Structures are given as structure tokens and as C-alpha cells.
Amino acid sequence: MGSVKTLNPNADVMGRHAATFMCVNAAKGLHEVMKTNFGPKGTIKMLVGGAGDIKLTKDGNVLLREMQIQNPTAVMIARTAVAQDDVTGDGTTSIVLLIGEMMKQAERYLQEGSHPRVIVEGFDIAKKALLEFLDDFKTPVDASDREMLRCVSRTSLSTKLAPHLVEQLTDIVTDAVLTIKQPEQPLDLYMVEIMHMRHKLDQDTRLVKGLVLDHGSRHPDMPKRVEDAFILTANISLEYEKAEVNAGFFYSSAEQREALVAAERAYTDERCRRVIELKKQVCGDSGRGFVLINQKGIDPLCLDMLAKEGILALRRAKKRNMERLTLACGGFAINSVEELSPDCLGHAGAVYEHVLGEEKYTFVEDVKHPHSCTILIKGPNDHTIAQIKDAVRDGLRAVKNVIDDKAVVLGAGAFEIAAAAHLRSTVKKQAQGRAKLGVEAFAEALLGFVKVLAENSGYDAQDVLIKLQEEQERGSNVGLDIATGEALDPQVAGIYDNLIVKRQIILSAPVIASQLLLVDEVMRAGINMRGK
Amino acid sequence: MAMGMPYGLQAMLKEGHKHFSGVEEAVMKNIEACKALAQMTKTSLGPNGMNKMVINHLEKLFVTSDASTIVTEMDVYHPAAKLLVMAAKAQAGEVGDATNLVLTLAGELLGNAEVLLRDGLHTSEIAEGYQRASDKALSVLESLVLPGTDTLDVKDKAAVALRLRGAISSKQLGYEDLLAPLIAEACIDVVPSNPHNFNVDNVRIVKIMGGALPDSQVVKGMVLKRDAEGSVKCVENAKVAVYAQGVDTSGPETKGTVLIKSAEELEGYSRSEEEKLEQYVKAIADSGAKVIVSGGAIGEMAMHFIEKYRLLALRIPSKFDMRRFCRATGAVAIVKLQAPQPDELGFAKQIEVRELGGANCVVLQQDASLGSVATLVLRGSTEGFLDDVERAVDDGINAYKALCRDARCVPAGGASEIEMARQVADFGKKQTGLDQYAIARFAEALEVVPRTIAENSGLQASEVLARLYAAHAQGQVNAGVCIESGAPKDLAAEGIMDVYAAKWWAVRLATDAVVTVLKVDQIIMAKQAGGPKPRAGDGDDD
């Protein structure tokens, strides 16, 4: 242990026991924090940022991201959890809990003198066995079964939001994914726009089959509402652009200057006129509306020209919205005025502006075959909106996962109880020698989920666990009913988890736990050391 | 060891983080902060509420009893109290009135929650009970809607003024008879044929110091606090040309250089410029316009020609004022300096520069049929007083907007709250779960409104409450506190009513905020950003 000290007298070293102690404690500490978040009955945490901004969350991922953890072990665990979120969109709290439990169980054996390597071997065996077991345990589903998708999204959302919102958002999230789903194509969740308005109550959140843009027309005389409208999605500049080269005008009278001013405008005006011509061509006198949504700018003079023709024009639309627009309304985006033709136009039943204080929103609604949609989140204040936004993101991912996996796993702790029983009854017997200890530790750690779930719902953890295990031994799949504290059949209650979430947890939790257990020295000898 | 033995959350976070958890540390502390906030605003509730003197971070002085102003200017830092402030702001955004009710009710609910927590109830049970009680209270509230109030002719000045009295009297007691008709008049001037689309922005308020409040008046049109540019100060029945940009010679976007070879050319150039500009101004004058409004600067040369053709020139630098001006005159803002088309011209019945309280103001008068902007000119002795009246007027205008959307009214003076409290309490007694205690406490919290009204009026609160309950038990559901005698009295008969929508939102938002505060069991605070605070009392000694 002292060897580093010889090399660098400033170094900070922790010996084997101290290192293990630190790792275990950090994992336990994080476990302690995240524990109360777990499950539908978890409590809310309030995070106050440096500028006094408030964030309320139940989502493990958000919590870890915002907490600014400094302890090295805790950072490692937090990173795994963030990776979990990147891959699956859910299960961040679970993974922290599992690692914490695993470290806790391992600590018991370490204190009795076992070598960490032995336990790690056991973890490894258990992990492999569990992955096989998971494949047997999963329930294959039909990805177009709306009810099943709802079940999964409900399970995911209920761990993040208040109950009265869950039912509503379940439908919104499920329908949003079903809207953008196109046969034979991978699902692109970016085609769901998430827009928020600080307005009304959280229950007013809704799904808009169409698009909501967070800006409005920039001209007071443009129509505020057009119906049965053609939508032109364009990426053409309708403003004067300076030449790349250094150009200058020379004139010697005001007439000449006026002529130059006019000539300068001519090019831009011409492009604007082409758009107007197209409008006249397709609309004629039919009274149908025409909406121009441009990714580039439109200068006041062009806006004025367009306004006179009754065209609703939006400038500087976001790039991502251009893609979504064509998916929602049909047609395709054009990049030059030469391409203008009636074919490139999309269609929407209603386009209207909504003004909220200073901010303007434009709704493109009533589209015929939308392949893109918007989840419009409303709430009286920013933290409510942020909370819903995070939850919606996870909900969408959960639904997508089902469609990708074509399978789900029974929730409410059913998988964990069954898996623990499987480890004890079959895998432990197959394992050779001292690796049995690791398998046992893993099995016990899995049961930690059920305990936390019971605790958060206000029941005695051991009572509940034994009740459920007894039920499970009778050969049925049981989960915990958080309302009564009794056993329930998750299949009947419609509680399903994502397969990929569980798989990812089982894959990564043992890896990180093993790494932490095998740490036998912590050294800090970098240049950046704080002076002693 | 330098790294220490990390245990618990504290050790894992960056330096400067604060962390509170558990019922004692987090929930109770939060409740305490919220209660303190509510305690402060409570005394401002009701017609006899007290004013607060608030000095904000810019050292601006506010004297007001308007809760939303108090909490906005106070810059609340405590996170839980901030949740309440947010609820109050949401209320201000939704209905623009009854913000004090949100704060007072939320404070009372939290105070009662504290009692329940000490009795050993779990926060989730309290939250659930409150939620259910608030659902019940809102359904009671709906049944309390005064018959006949669901339809209101929003163009009937007397009827509207009557409805607005409630909102005004809670802010500016004594002036309601003066202000309510003024607000009603201004609002009715601009209300569109579909009252749903009433835009608060179309009623402007201009505060001019001097005179007294009874000198206040409604101008059908706009009042701009600046003088006309030229010497023409008054026109009548005039056409108006509005230019979004400045009125001056135009230049190309690309840099231009004037190429001059001889002295004659130089002279010729200036002349051609002048001619060009004169041509423009003449074209405007020829189109029949008598008024030029410019969004930007008016060039000196342009001014010369404007004077020559005897046009009234007006500069409106604010884009929003410009739009309102366009709306009021029906003009279209022209982006290029060119002769206006007939349909781009607006019309003004009279534009005149008047001296109001020592300042020259441009007054645009319109016939009611033409304009869609009305302005309330408020007069008063001090700036602080005018600010306060303005807030009351704002509330009044918002109340009008709420009336346009939902004209329903409920009994005022604490009558609705007592009735809600009575029925919620009955509802609670029928419950079997632990949440019945929370429901009972919710009912109790609702009493805070009549109690505070009575207290602020110097009456015996308990006695007033008892008499109110007795009256309500006998079926007089409209009986509220009479602030003069303290006896139960049907205030609706006197024309004092509250807007249903405002009450609905207030109960709703207060409950939501309270439930959120209760559900938080851990607070993690980051180190405060920014540099060190400026030292207090700096520069005292020099």
C-alpha cells in the first residue's frame, strides 16, 4: 500500500478495506436516495438549481443528471444508469437499486472473509442463467395490440406521474406512437413533437394529430385562421441576401439610386411572386387557404406581399419540424422556386394561431393521414411541464420498445420473485463450489426490488415478501398489489414491463457491481490535487 | 484520510449542496415557509384588506394590497414557498384575479396539514384527502352558481359594471362605483361581436399624474404620451397613412457610393434627392391622407415637406403601439415609402394634441363603431396611487374577460366558502378511510376566507363564523359576511358577486400546489449561482 507514497508523497491512497468500504457505502448511499422514488407510490424529490429554479421529479434519470454527484464510485453507478436510459429509456432507478442491493449482499460475504473474486464469479454465472431465464419468462406479444401497448406505457408512466394523469397520458403516448408507426419502417420517435404551453392545468395535455409550431406569423394582417389549407413546406430564402463578394453601387442622382434599390429587390420579389402565383393557381377563387412554412427567413417586404394575398406565412421554422410537416400533411419540402408545383403541397383541415401572452403558437391540425403528431403538454407552471415532459419521453420509449421487442415481461415484481426462485432452486445447484455464494447474493439482491416496492407503499417488507414467495412456490406468477399489499396476478392487472429494460439491467448491473467489488486500492495522485 | 469515509448523500454531492429529507426536515420546513408567506398576504384579503409597502430589488416602492404584485416583487427564494407563488402567478395568468385567495387558502391548507402530520397521518393520505375534498368542493361550488347569472349581456354597461364591482371593491374599496362603470364602458367599446375573443390588450391604461381619480375618463381610441412632430396639432375626420419604417430617403442594402465628377453634379444630386422626397410626400398628401405615422425616425428633410403639405406627423416607436394604432384606425402599415393605396389608409375621427396634467399627449378619438381600442385615462395625485389603481383596473378588465367566457357568478363575502366548507365537512364524515381527517381539515381551511374578511374588518371572527354557519344550516346558502355589521347577509341582493371561474381556478390551483408541496420528501439544493451578494450598506460612510 505504501508503494505509491514512495513514488509520489502527495498521493492519496486507500487500502483494500477502506476502498471496499467506500465503494459499498457509495452504492448504498445512492440506493438510499433513489429508493423512495421507486414504484408508483414513490415520493417526489425537489431539486433546486443554482439560479433558484425548481424541478420536481420522480424519475431516477432526471435525478441523477441534476444531482451533480462527485464521489467516484457514485459517479460510476450514475453513469451506468444514464447509459441504461440511453439504451432503453427506462429502468434507471431499478439499476441503481440493483447495484446497491448487490453491493449490500456482497458486503456480508466479504465481512465473513470471502474473496471478492469468488462472489464476482457467482454474479457472472447468475447473470448468464438469468438471461436465459428471461427468454423463457417473457410473454411474446403482437406489436399492433393497442391494449398491450397501453399496459406497458401505463406501467412506465405510473412510476413517474400522479395517478390522475397516468390514464390520460397512457392513451396519448400510445396513440402518438401508433400514429407515427409506418409498416416495414423502423420507428422514429423524433417524429413526435413535444410542445409545451404554460397554460391551464396538467389535465389539459393532449395529442394533436398534426403539428404545433412555437411561433406565429410575423405580420399583423395575415389571417389568424385558415381552413382547408394547402401547406407549402419550403426552404427558400425570401429575404435580401448580401453577395459573398464585396459589391458596391455607384450612382450620381437620386433616380439612379432608386433604380438600384428596385433592382436589388427584384430578385427576392420575383421569388415571392412565384409563390403567390402558385397560390393563385391552386386556390383560385375557391376560398381555400394557403400556408407557407419556410425554414429560411422572409423579410418584411415579402411578408407584406404575402399578407396581401391572404397567405399565412411562417418564417424560420425549425429544421426538424420541416421533416415532420411533410410527414403530417403530405407533400414534400422544396429547396428552390423552380421546383414549385401543385404536387409538392400538403394539406391540412385547419391552421390557426394561438396567442398566449407574448408567445404565439401555430396549430396545423385536421390532417388526413398523419405520420407525425405533437404531444401538447400544458401545465400551470414550469416544473409541472418539465415533469410531464420527462415522463412522456419515457412513455414513448416504452411503447417503442414493445414494438421493437415484440415481447414484454410481467411486472409488479413478478419477474424478480420468479428469477430469485429460479436462481436458488436450479442455478445454485449447478454452480460449482464457492461461486454458489455469488448466486445466492444475486438472488437476494433481486428480491430487494420487491422489498422497496412494499416499503414505499407502506407495508412491511418481510411480510409481503414471504407472502409473495409462498404464493410463487405454488406455481403461479405473482406480483405485488400496491393498493392492498397482497399478491396479485400481473397479467390480470395489466402490469407489464419492457423486455429490453430488464435485459439491460441484468446485463449491466452485475458488471458494474463486479468492477466495484474488485477494486482493492483507490489512488489519487493526479496533478490536480488540492494542496494539503 | 483526505477523501474521507463517504456516507449518505451529502458526501456524494458537490460542495455547497444542501440536502433535506424526511417529514421533519423537508415537509415541515416547507410548510413553515409557505405559512409565513400566506400569513403575510392574508391581511390583504377582502375589501378591508391592508396595504403592503414593498420595496423591490430595484428599490421601487409599491403600496398595494394586490397579492400577485406583492409576491412578484418580493422575490421569494424558498423553493416550497415559490411553488405557491407559481400557483398564484398561474391564477393571475388564467383569470387575473383572486390571487390572494390561492395563497391564503394554500397557506391554511398547509397549516392544517401540519396538524395532521403531527397526529401521525402520512403525507400521501393527506394529499389524497385534500384532492378528494377539492373535487367535492368544486362540485359544490358549481351548485352555488347564482341563478340567472349564467347569461349576461356583455354589452349592457349597467349589468357589467355591477358584476365588476366585486373585483374592484376588493382592491380599491370606495372607488368601485367610480371605476366599475369606467371599466365597463371601455371594455364594451372594444368587445368584438363574439365576446369570447375579447382581447385584454385592446383596453389601454394611461396614467397621468395630477387631478383626482374622479377626473379619470374613457377615450374611445388611443392616448399616446408624446407630442406630434410638426406644427400641425389637430386634425379631424382625417385619413391616416401608417409607415412601419422611418420616413426618410431610402438606401439600398448594398453599400452605395455617390459618384460625382463636378460641382454641378453635386448640386444636382442634392436637388434630385429633395425632389424625390417631395414627390413621395406629395403623393401621400394627394392620396388624401392628412396624417403620417412613422415607426422610425422622420428625417429632417422629410419633416420639411410634411410641414409644407400641412400634414400631421406622428412617431410611434413601439411596434405594439403601432399595431394598436393600426387596429384603432383601420390602417395597414406600409413597409416601403410609397404612395398609399386607398385600402391601406386608415381613418381617424379626430387626432389632437392635448395637454393632460402638464404633458402633451396625442389623443386619437374614434366613434365607437370604428375603433377597436379604448383607453382609460387615470388621474391621481401620486405615482404609487396610480399604480395601485392601475392594478385594480387590470383586475377589473380581466374579470370582464372572464365574464365574457363564463358569466356565472357565485355568492361573495365568504358565502361560497362557508357553503363549500359545510358540505365538504358532511362529505368527510361519510368517509371511512384515514383521509376523512384530511377532508375535515380541508373544510376547516375554507373557513379562512370569511374569517379573514371578518378579522380585517375588525369584527369578532368566531362569532361571525358561528352566525354564518347557523344561517347556512337554515338554508340561506347565499349568506356572506357583511363587513359593516358582521351579520350574515345575502350580498348577491346588493349586487356583490364573485366570478365563478376565478373561484374555481383558485381552489384548484391552491390544492394542486399544496399537494405538490406535501408530496416532496427530499430537497436537494445546488450551490447558489452567481457572484457574491453586494454588501449591504455599501457606501454609507463616504
Side-chain angles (χ1 to χ4, degrees), chain B residues 524-538:
Chain B
I524 298 166
M525 288 171 87
K527 193 176 174 181
Q528 221 173 327
K533 287 251 162 68
R535 256 185 307 147
D538 229 9

PDB file of all heavy atoms in Angstrom, chain B residues 524-538:
ATOM      1  N   ILE B 524     -33.029  18.823  -2.724  1.00  0.00           N
ATOM      2  CA  ILE B 524     -31.604  18.892  -2.978  1.00  0.00           C
ATOM      3  C   ILE B 524     -31.341  20.246  -3.604  1.00  0.00           C
ATOM      4  O   ILE B 524     -31.846  20.544  -4.678  1.00  0.00           O
ATOM      5  CB  ILE B 524     -31.152  17.755  -3.914  1.00  0.00           C
ATOM      6  CG1 ILE B 524     -31.439  16.411  -3.240  1.00  0.00           C
ATOM      7  CG2 ILE B 524     -29.670  17.888  -4.219  1.00  0.00           C
ATOM      8  CD1 ILE B 524     -31.367  15.255  -4.159  1.00  0.00           C
ATOM      9  N   MET B 525     -30.589  21.064  -2.910  1.00  0.00           N
ATOM     10  CA  MET B 525     -30.359  22.415  -3.415  1.00  0.00           C
ATOM     11  C   MET B 525     -28.929  22.559  -3.884  1.00  0.00           C
ATOM     12  O   MET B 525     -27.996  22.247  -3.143  1.00  0.00           O
ATOM     13  CB  MET B 525     -30.623  23.440  -2.317  1.00  0.00           C
ATOM     14  CG  MET B 525     -32.089  23.594  -1.995  1.00  0.00           C
ATOM     15  SD  MET B 525     -32.331  24.602  -0.554  1.00  0.00           S
ATOM     16  CE  MET B 525     -32.348  26.211  -1.289  1.00  0.00           C
ATOM     17  N   ALA B 526     -28.760  23.061  -5.068  1.00  0.00           N
ATOM     18  CA  ALA B 526     -27.418  23.300  -5.578  1.00  0.00           C
ATOM     19  C   ALA B 526     -26.882  24.584  -4.959  1.00  0.00           C
ATOM     20  O   ALA B 526     -27.622  25.388  -4.411  1.00  0.00           O
ATOM     21  CB  ALA B 526     -27.441  23.413  -7.087  1.00  0.00           C
ATOM     22  N   LYS B 527     -25.581  24.725  -5.081  1.00  0.00           N
ATOM     23  CA  LYS B 527     -24.966  25.950  -4.592  1.00  0.00           C
ATOM     24  C   LYS B 527     -25.518  27.112  -5.398  1.00  0.00           C
ATOM     25  O   LYS B 527     -25.680  27.009  -6.616  1.00  0.00           O
ATOM     26  CB  LYS B 527     -23.470  25.834  -4.820  1.00  0.00           C
ATOM     27  CG  LYS B 527     -22.656  26.853  -4.104  1.00  0.00           C
ATOM     28  CD  LYS B 527     -21.195  26.528  -4.376  1.00  0.00           C
ATOM     29  CE  LYS B 527     -20.307  27.566  -3.827  1.00  0.00           C
ATOM     30  NZ  LYS B 527     -18.911  27.247  -4.122  1.00  0.00           N
ATOM     31  N   GLN B 528     -25.772  28.196  -4.729  1.00  0.00           N
ATOM     32  CA  GLN B 528     -26.345  29.336  -5.431  1.00  0.00           C
ATOM     33  C   GLN B 528     -25.367  29.884  -6.468  1.00  0.00           C
ATOM     34  O   GLN B 528     -24.183  30.058  -6.176  1.00  0.00           O
ATOM     35  CB  GLN B 528     -26.694  30.419  -4.435  1.00  0.00           C
ATOM     36  CG  GLN B 528     -28.013  31.057  -4.776  1.00  0.00           C
ATOM     37  CD  GLN B 528     -28.434  32.008  -3.703  1.00  0.00           C
ATOM     38  OE1 GLN B 528     -28.156  31.806  -2.540  1.00  0.00           O
ATOM     39  NE2 GLN B 528     -29.123  33.050  -4.109  1.00  0.00           N
ATOM     40  N   ALA B 529     -25.887  30.080  -7.650  1.00  0.00           N
ATOM     41  CA  ALA B 529     -25.020  30.554  -8.722  1.00  0.00           C
ATOM     42  C   ALA B 529     -24.757  32.039  -8.577  1.00  0.00           C
ATOM     43  O   ALA B 529     -25.416  32.733  -7.821  1.00  0.00           O
ATOM     44  CB  ALA B 529     -25.674  30.263 -10.065  1.00  0.00           C
ATOM     45  N   GLY B 530     -23.807  32.515  -9.343  1.00  0.00           N
ATOM     46  CA  GLY B 530     -23.542  33.951  -9.360  1.00  0.00           C
ATOM     47  C   GLY B 530     -22.513  34.349  -8.325  1.00  0.00           C
ATOM     48  O   GLY B 530     -22.145  33.587  -7.443  1.00  0.00           O
ATOM     49  N   GLY B 531     -22.052  35.556  -8.457  1.00  0.00           N
ATOM     50  CA  GLY B 531     -21.009  36.047  -7.577  1.00  0.00           C
ATOM     51  C   GLY B 531     -21.534  36.371  -6.192  1.00  0.00           C
ATOM     52  O   GLY B 531     -22.700  36.130  -5.894  1.00  0.00           O
ATOM     53  N   PRO B 532     -20.693  36.910  -5.356  1.00  0.00           N
ATOM     54  CA  PRO B 532     -21.133  37.242  -4.005  1.00  0.00           C
ATOM     55  C   PRO B 532     -22.149  38.368  -4.032  1.00  0.00           C
ATOM     56  O   PRO B 532     -22.141  39.207  -4.936  1.00  0.00           O
ATOM     57  CB  PRO B 532     -19.847  37.672  -3.307  1.00  0.00           C
ATOM     58  CG  PRO B 532     -18.923  38.071  -4.409  1.00  0.00           C
ATOM     59  CD  PRO B 532     -19.287  37.250  -5.588  1.00  0.00           C
ATOM     60  N   LYS B 533     -23.020  38.342  -3.057  1.00  0.00           N
ATOM     61  CA  LYS B 533     -24.049  39.381  -2.961  1.00  0.00           C
ATOM     62  C   LYS B 533     -23.383  40.727  -2.665  1.00  0.00           C
ATOM     63  O   LYS B 533     -22.388  40.791  -1.945  1.00  0.00           O
ATOM     64  CB  LYS B 533     -24.996  39.031  -1.814  1.00  0.00           C
ATOM     65  CG  LYS B 533     -25.902  37.884  -2.143  1.00  0.00           C
ATOM     66  CD  LYS B 533     -27.329  38.381  -2.338  1.00  0.00           C
ATOM     67  CE  LYS B 533     -28.176  37.389  -3.064  1.00  0.00           C
ATOM     68  NZ  LYS B 533     -28.435  36.202  -2.291  1.00  0.00           N
ATOM     69  N   PRO B 534     -23.915  41.813  -3.202  1.00  0.00           N
ATOM     70  CA  PRO B 534     -23.349  43.122  -2.876  1.00  0.00           C
ATOM     71  C   PRO B 534     -23.531  43.385  -1.382  1.00  0.00           C
ATOM     72  O   PRO B 534     -24.550  43.047  -0.802  1.00  0.00           O
ATOM     73  CB  PRO B 534     -24.176  44.095  -3.713  1.00  0.00           C
ATOM     74  CG  PRO B 534     -25.406  43.352  -4.108  1.00  0.00           C
ATOM     75  CD  PRO B 534     -25.037  41.911  -4.138  1.00  0.00           C
ATOM     76  N   ARG B 535     -22.493  43.961  -0.802  1.00  0.00           N
ATOM     77  CA  ARG B 535     -22.551  44.179   0.641  1.00  0.00           C
ATOM     78  C   ARG B 535     -23.638  45.177   0.983  1.00  0.00           C
ATOM     79  O   ARG B 535     -23.791  46.204   0.302  1.00  0.00           O
ATOM     80  CB  ARG B 535     -21.211  44.684   1.137  1.00  0.00           C
ATOM     81  CG  ARG B 535     -20.429  43.583   1.857  1.00  0.00           C
ATOM     82  CD  ARG B 535     -19.170  44.146   2.444  1.00  0.00           C
ATOM     83  NE  ARG B 535     -18.401  44.864   1.434  1.00  0.00           N
ATOM     84  CZ  ARG B 535     -17.675  45.938   1.737  1.00  0.00           C
ATOM     85  NH1 ARG B 535     -17.674  46.406   2.948  1.00  0.00           N
ATOM     86  NH2 ARG B 535     -16.961  46.522   0.800  1.00  0.00           N
ATOM     87  N   ALA B 536     -24.360  44.893   1.999  1.00  0.00           N
ATOM     88  CA  ALA B 536     -25.427  45.807   2.402  1.00  0.00           C
ATOM     89  C   ALA B 536     -24.792  47.045   3.044  1.00  0.00           C
ATOM     90  O   ALA B 536     -23.754  46.966   3.687  1.00  0.00           O
ATOM     91  CB  ALA B 536     -26.353  45.123   3.396  1.00  0.00           C
ATOM     92  N   GLY B 537     -25.429  48.137   2.824  1.00  0.00           N
ATOM     93  CA  GLY B 537     -24.939  49.358   3.456  1.00  0.00           C
ATOM     94  C   GLY B 537     -23.663  49.887   2.852  1.00  0.00           C
ATOM     95  O   GLY B 537     -22.909  50.607   3.483  1.00  0.00           O
ATOM     96  N   ASP B 538     -23.420  49.479   1.600  1.00  0.00           N
ATOM     97  CA  ASP B 538     -22.205  49.910   0.933  1.00  0.00           C
ATOM     98  C   ASP B 538     -22.243  51.427   0.704  1.00  0.00           C
ATOM     99  O   ASP B 538     -23.263  51.981   0.330  1.00  0.00           O
ATOM    100  CB  ASP B 538     -22.095  49.197  -0.419  1.00  0.00           C
ATOM    101  CG  ASP B 538     -20.723  48.597  -0.579  1.00  0.00           C
ATOM    102  OD1 ASP B 538     -19.973  48.595   0.417  1.00  0.00           O
ATOM    103  OD2 ASP B 538     -20.414  48.140  -1.686  1.00  0.00           O
TER     104      ASP B 538
END
